[in-house]
Structures are given as structure tokens and as C-alpha cells.
């Protein structure tokens, strides 16, 4: 699709696209609720509700770092070879 890597020539390109879409879906579905929850319980720091919200936000940040690292690794190493013409 416009580059020599194409969109369906190599396995790493759709894998990287799937990582991107998974990250966007998880971020859109979880982040707004957790941010509102954290702000609502911010004055009660140390309570179980606040610690839960804080934990979820830290896990979300770690998830983003992991997805960015995986996408970068896919871009650098380009594993998996080409997709055969019969499967396209």
C-alpha cells in the first residue's frame, strides 16, 4: 500500500496495527472512567478507592510502555517473514 513493506506483505505490519488498535481501544474504554474516579477520590488519598484508581492508572501507563516497546521491536526486527500470496 504505497511502501515496499505494504500492509499485507509482511506479518509484522498487521501485528503492529493490531497493537495500535488494542492500545487505542483499551485507552478509550478505561482511562476516562479511571481518571474521573481518581479525581473524585483525590482528597481522600490513602483510602482503598484512591489506591485502586492509582493502581489502575499505573497499570495503564505500564501497558502503554509495553505496547510502544513491542511496536518499536516489530519495526526494528521485522520478524515473521512475508505473507504468502495464497493467503492475501
Amino acid at each position: 500500500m504505497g511502501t515496499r513493506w505494504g500492509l499485507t506483505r509482511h506479518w509484522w505490519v498487521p501485528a503492529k496495527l493490531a497493537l495500535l488498535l488494542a492500545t487505542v481501544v483499551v485507552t478509550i474504554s478505561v482511562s476516562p472512567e479511571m481518571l474521573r474516579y481518581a479525581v473524585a477520590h483525590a482528597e481522600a488519598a490513602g483510602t482503598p478507592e484512591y489506591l485502586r484508581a492509582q493502581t489502575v492508572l499505573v497499570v495503564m501507563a505500564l501497558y502503554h510502555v509495553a505496547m510502544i516497546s513491542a511496536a518499536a521491536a516489530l519495526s526494528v526486527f521485522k520478524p515473521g517473514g512475508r505473507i504468502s500470496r495464497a493467503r492475501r
Side-chain angles (χ1 to χ4, degrees):
M1 278 195 69
T3 70
R4 71 184 185 119
W5 297 110
L7 187 58
T8 58
R9 285 188 185 162
H10 299 272
W11 288 107
W12 67 272
V13 178
K16 189 173 173 183
L17 183 60
L19 286 174
L20 168 71
L21 293 175
T23 302
V24 169
V25 167
V26 168
T27 301
I28 289 173
S29 64
V30 176
S31 291
E33 175 190 336
M34 282 299 115
L35 287 173
R36 279 192 297 275
Y37 190 82
V39 168
H41 294 90
E43 69 278 351
T47 64
E49 295 85 14
Y50 180 76
L51 293 175
R52 177 183 173 268
Q54 189 177 31
T55 301
V56 170
L57 292 175
V58 169
V59 169
M60 287 290 298
L62 293 174
Y63 171 78
H64 284 95
V65 169
M67 292 301 107
I68 290 171
S69 299
L74 285 172
S75 294
V76 171
F77 298 112
K78 299 174 180 52
R82 294 183 74 132
I83 297 174
S84 67
R85 288 200 178 271
R87 293 186 187 179
R88 272 200 262 170

